[in-house]
Short mmCIF file of all heavy atoms in Angstrom, two decimals:
data_model
loop_
_atom_site.label_atom_id
_atom_site.label_comp_id
_atom_site.label_asym_id
_atom_site.label_seq_id
_atom_site.Cartn_x
_atom_site.Cartn_y
_atom_site.Cartn_z
N TYR B 46 4.90 -1.19 5.58
CA TYR B 46 4.32 0.14 5.46
C TYR B 46 3.63 0.53 6.75
O TYR B 46 3.04 -0.30 7.44
CB TYR B 46 3.29 0.19 4.31
CG TYR B 46 3.87 -0.11 2.95
CD1 TYR B 46 3.89 -1.41 2.45
CD2 TYR B 46 4.40 0.91 2.16
CE1 TYR B 46 4.43 -1.69 1.21
CE2 TYR B 46 4.94 0.64 0.91
CZ TYR B 46 4.94 -0.66 0.44
OH TYR B 46 5.48 -0.93 -0.79
N LYS B 47 3.68 1.83 7.05
CA LYS B 47 2.97 2.39 8.20
C LYS B 47 1.89 3.31 7.66
O LYS B 47 2.17 4.17 6.82
CB LYS B 47 3.96 3.19 9.06
CG LYS B 47 3.33 3.93 10.24
CD LYS B 47 4.39 4.76 10.96
CE LYS B 47 3.80 5.51 12.14
NZ LYS B 47 4.81 6.35 12.83
N GLN B 48 0.67 3.12 8.12
CA GLN B 48 -0.42 3.98 7.68
C GLN B 48 -1.08 4.65 8.87
O GLN B 48 -1.64 3.98 9.74
CB GLN B 48 -1.47 3.19 6.88
CG GLN B 48 -2.54 4.08 6.28
CD GLN B 48 -3.55 3.31 5.45
OE1 GLN B 48 -3.78 2.12 5.66
NE2 GLN B 48 -4.16 3.98 4.48
N GLU B 49 -1.00 5.96 8.89
CA GLU B 49 -1.68 6.73 9.92
C GLU B 49 -3.10 7.04 9.44
O GLU B 49 -3.39 7.01 8.24
CB GLU B 49 -0.88 7.99 10.23
CG GLU B 49 0.49 7.67 10.83
CD GLU B 49 1.34 8.90 11.06
OE1 GLU B 49 1.04 9.96 10.47
OE2 GLU B 49 2.30 8.80 11.83
N LEU B 50 -3.95 7.34 10.38
CA LEU B 50 -5.36 7.53 10.09
C LEU B 50 -5.58 8.61 9.02
O LEU B 50 -5.07 9.72 9.14
CB LEU B 50 -6.09 7.92 11.37
CG LEU B 50 -7.62 7.85 11.33
CD1 LEU B 50 -8.08 6.42 11.05
CD2 LEU B 50 -8.21 8.36 12.63
N GLY B 51 -6.30 8.25 7.97
CA GLY B 51 -6.64 9.21 6.92
C GLY B 51 -5.51 9.51 5.96
O GLY B 51 -5.62 10.44 5.14
N LYS B 52 -4.42 8.74 6.03
CA LYS B 52 -3.29 8.98 5.15
C LYS B 52 -2.95 7.73 4.35
O LYS B 52 -3.43 6.64 4.64
CB LYS B 52 -2.07 9.41 5.97
CG LYS B 52 -2.27 10.72 6.73
CD LYS B 52 -1.00 11.12 7.45
CE LYS B 52 -1.19 12.44 8.20
NZ LYS B 52 0.05 12.85 8.93
N GLY B 53 -2.10 7.91 3.34
CA GLY B 53 -1.65 6.77 2.57
C GLY B 53 -0.54 6.03 3.29
O GLY B 53 0.12 6.58 4.18
N PRO B 54 -0.29 4.77 2.95
CA PRO B 54 0.79 4.01 3.58
C PRO B 54 2.15 4.60 3.25
O PRO B 54 2.37 5.11 2.15
CB PRO B 54 0.64 2.61 2.95
CG PRO B 54 -0.75 2.57 2.43
CD PRO B 54 -1.07 3.96 2.01
N GLN B 55 3.04 4.52 4.22
CA GLN B 55 4.41 5.01 4.02
C GLN B 55 5.37 3.85 4.16
O GLN B 55 5.32 3.12 5.16
CB GLN B 55 4.73 6.02 5.11
CG GLN B 55 4.90 7.44 4.67
CD GLN B 55 5.50 8.29 5.78
OE1 GLN B 55 5.20 8.10 6.95
NE2 GLN B 55 6.35 9.21 5.40
N LEU B 56 6.27 3.70 3.21
CA LEU B 56 7.29 2.67 3.29
C LEU B 56 8.24 3.01 4.43
O LEU B 56 8.81 4.09 4.48
CB LEU B 56 8.06 2.60 1.98
CG LEU B 56 9.21 1.59 1.90
CD1 LEU B 56 8.68 0.17 1.93
CD2 LEU B 56 10.04 1.82 0.63
N ILE B 57 8.39 2.09 5.39
CA ILE B 57 9.27 2.38 6.53
C ILE B 57 10.54 1.54 6.52
O ILE B 57 11.59 1.97 7.00
CB ILE B 57 8.54 2.20 7.88
CG1 ILE B 57 7.94 0.80 8.02
CG2 ILE B 57 7.48 3.28 8.06
CD1 ILE B 57 7.40 0.51 9.41
N ILE B 58 10.46 0.35 5.98
CA ILE B 58 11.64 -0.49 5.86
C ILE B 58 11.32 -1.63 4.91
O ILE B 58 10.14 -1.97 4.73
CB ILE B 58 12.08 -1.03 7.25
CG1 ILE B 58 13.52 -1.57 7.19
CG2 ILE B 58 11.12 -2.08 7.77
CD1 ILE B 58 14.14 -1.82 8.57
N ASP B 59 12.34 -2.16 4.29
CA ASP B 59 12.11 -3.29 3.39
C ASP B 59 13.31 -4.23 3.47
O ASP B 59 14.37 -3.87 3.98
CB ASP B 59 11.87 -2.84 1.95
CG ASP B 59 12.99 -1.95 1.41
OD1 ASP B 59 14.11 -1.94 1.99
OD2 ASP B 59 12.75 -1.25 0.40
N ILE B 60 13.10 -5.44 2.99
CA ILE B 60 14.20 -6.40 2.99
C ILE B 60 14.12 -7.25 1.73
O ILE B 60 13.02 -7.58 1.26
CB ILE B 60 14.17 -7.28 4.28
CG1 ILE B 60 15.48 -8.07 4.40
CG2 ILE B 60 12.96 -8.20 4.30
CD1 ILE B 60 15.68 -8.67 5.79
N ARG B 61 15.27 -7.58 1.19
CA ARG B 61 15.32 -8.40 0.00
C ARG B 61 15.74 -9.81 0.36
O ARG B 61 16.34 -10.03 1.41
CB ARG B 61 16.26 -7.76 -1.01
CG ARG B 61 15.64 -6.49 -1.54
CD ARG B 61 16.54 -5.53 -2.21
NE ARG B 61 15.76 -4.33 -2.54
CZ ARG B 61 16.28 -3.20 -2.93
NH1 ARG B 61 17.57 -3.07 -3.03
NH2 ARG B 61 15.49 -2.17 -3.20
N SER B 62 15.45 -10.74 -0.51
CA SER B 62 15.58 -12.15 -0.16
C SER B 62 17.02 -12.61 0.06
O SER B 62 17.26 -13.68 0.60
CB SER B 62 14.92 -13.02 -1.22
OG SER B 62 15.50 -12.78 -2.48
N ASN B 63 17.98 -11.79 -0.34
CA ASN B 63 19.37 -12.18 -0.16
C ASN B 63 19.94 -11.67 1.17
O ASN B 63 21.14 -11.79 1.42
CB ASN B 63 20.23 -11.67 -1.32
CG ASN B 63 20.16 -10.16 -1.46
OD1 ASN B 63 19.33 -9.50 -0.87
ND2 ASN B 63 21.06 -9.62 -2.28
N VAL B 64 19.06 -11.13 2.01
CA VAL B 64 19.48 -10.57 3.29
C VAL B 64 18.61 -11.18 4.39
O VAL B 64 17.42 -11.40 4.20
CB VAL B 64 19.32 -9.04 3.29
CG1 VAL B 64 19.65 -8.46 4.65
CG2 VAL B 64 20.20 -8.43 2.22
N GLY B 65 19.21 -11.43 5.57
CA GLY B 65 18.45 -12.02 6.66
C GLY B 65 17.89 -11.02 7.64
O GLY B 65 16.90 -11.28 8.31
N GLU B 66 18.55 -9.84 7.71
CA GLU B 66 18.12 -8.85 8.67
C GLU B 66 18.52 -7.47 8.19
O GLU B 66 19.56 -7.28 7.55
CB GLU B 66 18.76 -9.13 10.04
CG GLU B 66 18.31 -8.20 11.14
CD GLU B 66 18.86 -8.58 12.51
OE1 GLU B 66 19.57 -9.59 12.60
OE2 GLU B 66 18.56 -7.87 13.48
N LYS B 67 17.69 -6.50 8.54
CA LYS B 67 18.00 -5.12 8.20
C LYS B 67 17.50 -4.23 9.31
O LYS B 67 16.41 -4.47 9.86
CB LYS B 67 17.33 -4.73 6.86
CG LYS B 67 17.64 -3.33 6.37
CD LYS B 67 16.98 -3.12 5.00
CE LYS B 67 17.22 -1.73 4.48
NZ LYS B 67 16.56 -1.54 3.16
N LYS B 68 18.29 -3.23 9.65
CA LYS B 68 17.93 -2.37 10.78
C LYS B 68 18.04 -0.91 10.38
O LYS B 68 18.95 -0.50 9.64
CB LYS B 68 18.86 -2.67 11.96
CG LYS B 68 18.42 -2.03 13.26
CD LYS B 68 19.29 -2.50 14.42
CE LYS B 68 18.84 -1.85 15.72
NZ LYS B 68 19.65 -2.26 16.87
N ASP B 69 17.11 -0.13 10.90
CA ASP B 69 17.14 1.32 10.67
C ASP B 69 16.69 1.99 11.96
O ASP B 69 15.49 2.09 12.23
CB ASP B 69 16.23 1.70 9.50
CG ASP B 69 16.27 3.20 9.20
OD1 ASP B 69 17.05 3.92 9.84
OD2 ASP B 69 15.52 3.63 8.30
N GLN B 70 17.62 2.39 12.77
CA GLN B 70 17.38 3.02 14.07
C GLN B 70 16.53 2.08 14.93
O GLN B 70 16.99 1.01 15.29
CB GLN B 70 16.73 4.39 13.86
CG GLN B 70 17.63 5.34 13.07
CD GLN B 70 17.06 6.74 12.91
OE1 GLN B 70 15.85 6.96 12.97
NE2 GLN B 70 17.94 7.70 12.73
N ARG B 71 15.31 2.46 15.28
CA ARG B 71 14.50 1.63 16.18
C ARG B 71 13.72 0.53 15.47
O ARG B 71 13.01 -0.26 16.08
CB ARG B 71 13.52 2.52 16.95
CG ARG B 71 14.15 3.54 17.86
CD ARG B 71 13.10 4.28 18.70
NE ARG B 71 12.17 5.05 17.88
CZ ARG B 71 10.89 4.72 17.69
NH1 ARG B 71 10.38 3.64 18.24
NH2 ARG B 71 10.10 5.49 16.94
N ILE B 72 13.84 0.49 14.17
CA ILE B 72 13.06 -0.47 13.38
C ILE B 72 13.99 -1.50 12.76
O ILE B 72 15.06 -1.16 12.26
CB ILE B 72 12.28 0.26 12.27
CG1 ILE B 72 11.25 1.20 12.89
CG2 ILE B 72 11.59 -0.74 11.35
CD1 ILE B 72 10.56 2.08 11.87
N ALA B 73 13.56 -2.75 12.81
CA ALA B 73 14.34 -3.82 12.17
C ALA B 73 13.38 -4.81 11.53
O ALA B 73 12.22 -4.94 11.94
CB ALA B 73 15.22 -4.54 13.19
N VAL B 74 13.86 -5.46 10.50
CA VAL B 74 13.08 -6.51 9.86
C VAL B 74 13.98 -7.74 9.72
O VAL B 74 15.16 -7.63 9.41
CB VAL B 74 12.53 -6.05 8.49
CG1 VAL B 74 13.63 -5.58 7.57
CG2 VAL B 74 11.72 -7.15 7.83
N THR B 75 13.40 -8.91 10.00
CA THR B 75 14.13 -10.16 9.83
C THR B 75 13.38 -11.03 8.83
O THR B 75 12.15 -10.96 8.73
CB THR B 75 14.25 -10.91 11.17
OG1 THR B 75 12.93 -11.15 11.69
CG2 THR B 75 15.05 -10.11 12.18
N LEU B 76 14.12 -11.83 8.11
CA LEU B 76 13.54 -12.69 7.08
C LEU B 76 14.07 -14.11 7.25
O LEU B 76 15.28 -14.31 7.34
CB LEU B 76 13.88 -12.17 5.69
CG LEU B 76 13.53 -13.07 4.50
CD1 LEU B 76 12.02 -13.25 4.39
CD2 LEU B 76 14.11 -12.51 3.21
N ASN B 77 13.16 -15.05 7.29
CA ASN B 77 13.53 -16.47 7.31
C ASN B 77 12.95 -17.09 6.04
O ASN B 77 11.77 -17.42 5.98
CB ASN B 77 12.96 -17.14 8.57
CG ASN B 77 13.38 -18.60 8.68
OD1 ASN B 77 13.53 -19.31 7.68
ND2 ASN B 77 13.58 -19.07 9.90
N LYS B 78 13.79 -17.25 5.03
CA LYS B 78 13.31 -17.75 3.75
C LYS B 78 12.87 -19.20 3.83
O LYS B 78 11.93 -19.62 3.14
CB LYS B 78 14.41 -17.60 2.69
CG LYS B 78 14.59 -16.20 2.18
CD LYS B 78 15.45 -16.15 0.93
CE LYS B 78 16.82 -16.71 1.18
NZ LYS B 78 17.67 -16.64 -0.03
N THR B 79 13.55 -19.96 4.65
CA THR B 79 13.21 -21.38 4.76
C THR B 79 11.81 -21.56 5.31
O THR B 79 11.00 -22.34 4.80
CB THR B 79 14.22 -22.11 5.67
OG1 THR B 79 15.53 -21.90 5.15
CG2 THR B 79 13.91 -23.59 5.74
N ALA B 80 11.52 -20.80 6.35
CA ALA B 80 10.20 -20.88 6.98
C ALA B 80 9.18 -19.98 6.30
O ALA B 80 7.98 -20.03 6.62
CB ALA B 80 10.31 -20.52 8.46
N LYS B 81 9.62 -19.14 5.39
CA LYS B 81 8.77 -18.20 4.67
C LYS B 81 8.04 -17.29 5.63
O LYS B 81 6.80 -17.17 5.58
CB LYS B 81 7.82 -18.94 3.72
CG LYS B 81 8.55 -19.53 2.51
CD LYS B 81 7.61 -20.07 1.44
CE LYS B 81 7.07 -21.39 1.89
NZ LYS B 81 6.47 -22.20 0.81
N HIS B 82 8.80 -16.67 6.50
CA HIS B 82 8.18 -15.63 7.31
C HIS B 82 9.16 -14.50 7.57
O HIS B 82 10.39 -14.66 7.51
CB HIS B 82 7.56 -16.19 8.59
CG HIS B 82 8.52 -16.73 9.61
ND1 HIS B 82 9.40 -15.94 10.33
CD2 HIS B 82 8.72 -17.98 10.05
CE1 HIS B 82 10.08 -16.70 11.16
NE2 HIS B 82 9.70 -17.94 11.00
N PHE B 83 8.61 -13.33 7.80
CA PHE B 83 9.40 -12.14 8.08
C PHE B 83 8.69 -11.32 9.14
O PHE B 83 7.47 -11.41 9.29
CB PHE B 83 9.68 -11.33 6.81
CG PHE B 83 8.47 -10.90 6.03
CD1 PHE B 83 8.11 -9.56 5.98
CD2 PHE B 83 7.70 -11.81 5.31
CE1 PHE B 83 7.01 -9.15 5.24
CE2 PHE B 83 6.60 -11.41 4.57
CZ PHE B 83 6.26 -10.07 4.55
N SER B 84 9.48 -10.59 9.90
CA SER B 84 8.93 -9.89 11.06
C SER B 84 9.44 -8.46 11.13
O SER B 84 10.57 -8.17 10.73
CB SER B 84 9.33 -10.61 12.36
OG SER B 84 8.84 -11.94 12.36
N LEU B 85 8.59 -7.62 11.67
CA LEU B 85 8.95 -6.21 11.94
C LEU B 85 9.14 -6.06 13.44
O LEU B 85 8.29 -6.50 14.22
CB LEU B 85 7.83 -5.28 11.46
CG LEU B 85 8.02 -3.79 11.75
CD1 LEU B 85 9.14 -3.21 10.89
CD2 LEU B 85 6.73 -3.02 11.52
N HIS B 86 10.26 -5.47 13.82
CA HIS B 86 10.56 -5.25 15.22
C HIS B 86 10.70 -3.75 15.46
O HIS B 86 11.49 -3.09 14.77
CB HIS B 86 11.87 -5.94 15.61
CG HIS B 86 11.91 -7.40 15.31
ND1 HIS B 86 11.80 -8.37 16.29
CD2 HIS B 86 12.02 -8.07 14.13
CE1 HIS B 86 11.87 -9.57 15.72
NE2 HIS B 86 11.99 -9.41 14.43
N ILE B 87 9.95 -3.24 16.41
CA ILE B 87 10.07 -1.82 16.80
C ILE B 87 10.49 -1.79 18.25
O ILE B 87 9.80 -2.33 19.12
CB ILE B 87 8.75 -1.05 16.62
CG1 ILE B 87 8.21 -1.21 15.19
CG2 ILE B 87 8.96 0.43 16.94
CD1 ILE B 87 6.83 -0.59 14.99
N THR B 88 11.63 -1.19 18.52
CA THR B 88 12.10 -1.09 19.90
C THR B 88 11.82 0.30 20.45
O THR B 88 11.60 1.25 19.70
CB THR B 88 13.61 -1.37 19.98
OG1 THR B 88 14.30 -0.44 19.14
CG2 THR B 88 13.93 -2.79 19.51
N GLU B 89 11.82 0.39 21.77
CA GLU B 89 11.60 1.67 22.46
C GLU B 89 10.42 2.43 21.84
O GLU B 89 10.54 3.58 21.42
CB GLU B 89 12.87 2.53 22.38
CG GLU B 89 14.08 1.87 23.03
CD GLU B 89 15.37 2.65 22.76
OE1 GLU B 89 15.31 3.87 22.59
OE2 GLU B 89 16.43 2.01 22.71
N THR B 90 9.29 1.77 21.82
CA THR B 90 8.13 2.35 21.15
C THR B 90 7.72 3.68 21.76
O THR B 90 7.88 3.92 22.96
CB THR B 90 6.94 1.38 21.20
OG1 THR B 90 6.70 1.01 22.56
CG2 THR B 90 7.19 0.15 20.35
N GLN B 91 7.17 4.52 20.89
CA GLN B 91 6.70 5.85 21.29
C GLN B 91 5.26 6.01 20.83
O GLN B 91 4.83 5.32 19.90
CB GLN B 91 7.59 6.92 20.63
CG GLN B 91 9.05 6.79 21.01
CD GLN B 91 9.98 7.61 20.11
OE1 GLN B 91 9.54 8.34 19.22
NE2 GLN B 91 11.27 7.49 20.36
N PRO B 92 4.49 6.88 21.47
CA PRO B 92 3.09 7.06 21.07
C PRO B 92 2.92 7.34 19.57
O PRO B 92 1.95 6.90 18.96
CB PRO B 92 2.64 8.25 21.92
CG PRO B 92 3.47 8.15 23.16
CD PRO B 92 4.82 7.68 22.67
N GLU B 93 3.88 8.04 18.98
CA GLU B 93 3.76 8.34 17.54
C GLU B 93 3.98 7.12 16.64
O GLU B 93 3.80 7.19 15.43
CB GLU B 93 4.73 9.47 17.13
CG GLU B 93 6.15 9.28 17.60
CD GLU B 93 6.42 9.99 18.93
OE1 GLU B 93 5.53 10.00 19.82
OE2 GLU B 93 7.54 10.50 19.08
#
Side-chain angles (χ1 to χ4, degrees):
Chain B
Y46 298 91
K47 175 184 180 182
Q48 186 178 26
E49 296 176 342
L50 193 61
K52 298 183 179 180
Q55 248 192 324
L56 178 68
I57 56 171
I58 196 167
D59 55 17
I60 192 166
R61 291 163 185 168
S62 58
N63 59 348
V64 176
E66 184 174 358
K67 183 177 178 180
K68 191 173 180 180
D69 182 3
Q70 299 184 335
R71 297 186 297 108
I72 295 173
V74 56
T75 58
L76 171 65
N77 183 326
K78 284 193 299 181
T79 303
K81 289 190 282 197
H82 68 69
F83 56 111
S84 301
L85 176 70
H86 305 254
I87 306 174
T88 58
E89 300 172 29
T90 54
Q91 301 166 3
E93 49 266 38

